[in-house]
Amino acid sequence: MTSSPFATLSTPAGPVPSQAPSWNRQRASQMPSHRYAAPHDRVEVPLTERAWPTRRLTAAPLWVPVDLRDGNQALAEPMDPARKRRFFELMIAMGYKEIEVGYPSASQTDFDFVRLIADTDLAPADVTIVVFTAARRDLIERTVASIAGIRNPVVIHVYTATAPTWRDVVLGRSRDELRELILTAGADVLDLAGDLPRVRFEFSPEVFNLTEPDYVLDVCDAMTTLWDATPERPVILNLPATVEIATPNVYADQIEYMHRNLERRDGVILSVHPHNDRGTGIACAELAVLAGAQRVEGCIFGNGERTGNVDIATLALNLHAQGVDPMIDFSDIDEIRRTVEYCNGIEVHARHPYVGDLVHTAFSGTHQDAIRKGFAEHRARAAADGVDERDQAWRVPYLPIDPADIGRSYDAVIRVNSQSGKGGMAYLLETGYGIELPRRLQIDFARKVQERTDAGGDELSAADLWQVFEAGYLTTSPQAPALVGYQVDQSITELTLRTGSGTATFRTDGLGPVEALTAALAQAGSRVEVLSLHQTSVGGGTDSDALTLIEYRTAGAGEISWAAGRARSVLEASFAAVLRAADVGR
């Protein structure tokens, strides 16, 4: 257990000194950092021991997407009814069981959408609908009117800001005055909706993370008492990090303090609503669940005011990557992304965790080599264990999850630019054309690709790589030696060659066909020494062409080179490769 909620960072050598060590003497910035208070100067958490650092995430919390309310408010152009419905239908298809659908007292569009749910079968019977309202009776009345006759379970979500700055600057209320306002709103909710079947209540002390712990605990306990929270009809206490101001461990301490000290804890669903002002919303949510939270509100890809709400897709897929069922279906993540982008009018970043176009893509040579070897090892383990590759334990370097889990193909896993290595180039040729390159040819080919990318600076596709390969190893000049005809009869090979000096027929006995061709070329004045020969193919199935790759050395030259030949038969492909070598060596 940690002894202090604000322990200093430490290293094996001890605490970090108050002044930077000699190796870190940096020039002071010109930024006025002194204007901002450290988080422990604002909110001191009275927690001397904590359990969250030793806990592990073993089950998914209840996910509650707020894209249709909180995320919608953050859009330059809020969703029209059609887009709102499409987003809602996406959430249903993904398996969300509780969805905050709007702020019905704030706009006619939101009110009408709640009425649509009430008047139709748009929401399955097991989906809980959450409606949001500020703590004012007229707004609460409008909210209750919006859910009249609804068949689904409903949560009426009431909020009020509680932090000192908001009390002083925004609301102009003391602690006691604000407590009275909150309880009055709670009584209004009870009066207007307390007798409605299948309706429960939720309270959010907005800016919880900047509110004094003793005060927010008192207010929350007063609300659960007023609403008579029980295990049979639990109250949701939602504790937002409305504006992130501290490291995630501080938020975890605040949640654990509430988890330990709340009255009627068995009648409370403890919920969190992290924002992402410091870029640590994901960490705050994960640590909050370790600290006792049971429910997480956020937006599917993190939309929301300022830097956004916590990204609940990333949270869910983080669990998936740890072997924990996220309880939400992300098996077609590209369709989910397309729908969210359409509804929000905001493009998902290419590097966004899991869903971005480039998150499963490697350009770096070392990454590509490791991924290629990882795929090969994965296939080999699956074959050895006699299981399908999709059932085999995943341990491919640089890919925390199998892209196929979320509906991605392997086509874009490795892409080639000027930073790429031989492994990535070979992988693209193999997956795009079925060609397996020997390691030494991979090295030679990488140099040719590097020349192309350095000259153009662009990314190369598998088709581009094939063009480089053709130009570097397959293409011959008009003056190249040509095989006019051949006949192989057991140990006898007869070849008719056309070279610069004319056409001649050569007959050998006891040599293989390739050796016979090199001997014929030597007699014609073109010496080619074949050092190694490799067979592969272009494409797959019965329509594939044979591809022969030869490593060779020409007469008088110490440099070793590569050539390739392509034909319908293996023999003719081998002949073509030798003739290509002779052409280059002329």
Side-chain angles (χ1 to χ4, degrees), residues 283-297:
C284 281
E286 291 180 332
L287 295 189
V289 172
L290 293 175
Q294 301 150 290
R295 179 180 182 271
V296 178
E297 295 184 354

Side-chain angles (χ1 to χ4, degrees), residues 409-471:
S409 71
Y410 301 128
D411 293 345
V413 168
I414 290 177
R415 289 161 64 175
V416 170
N417 63 12
S418 61
Q419 303 300 308
S420 303
K422 59 186 182 300
M425 301 166 193
Y427 176 85
L428 282 188
L429 280 185
E430 182 177 349
T431 55
Y433 292 89
I435 300 169
E436 297 182 17
L437 301 184
R439 180 172 175 78
R440 291 190 301 277
L441 177 52
Q442 291 179 26
I443 296 170
D444 190 80
F445 181 53
R447 286 196 291 265
K448 297 182 185 300
V449 173
Q450 194 74 42
E451 291 173 2
R452 163 74 182 271
T453 55
D454 285 348
D458 53 344
E459 179 189 340
L460 301 187
S461 65
D464 295 327
L465 292 175
W466 176 245
Q467 289 179 357
V468 174
F469 184 87
E470 282 186 311

Side-chain angles (χ1 to χ4, degrees), residues 524-542:
S526 297
R527 294 188 176 275
V528 175
E529 180 185 0
V530 177
L531 303 176
S532 65
L533 184 148
H534 306 266
Q535 299 291 350
T536 183
S537 61
V538 181
T542 57

Side-chain angles (χ1 to χ4, degrees), residues 7 170 230 246 301 335 342 431 450 530 535-536 544 577:
V170 181
T230 64
F301 293 133
E335 176 59 25
Y342 165 76
T431 55
Q450 194 74 42
V530 177
Q535 299 291 350
T536 183
S544 63

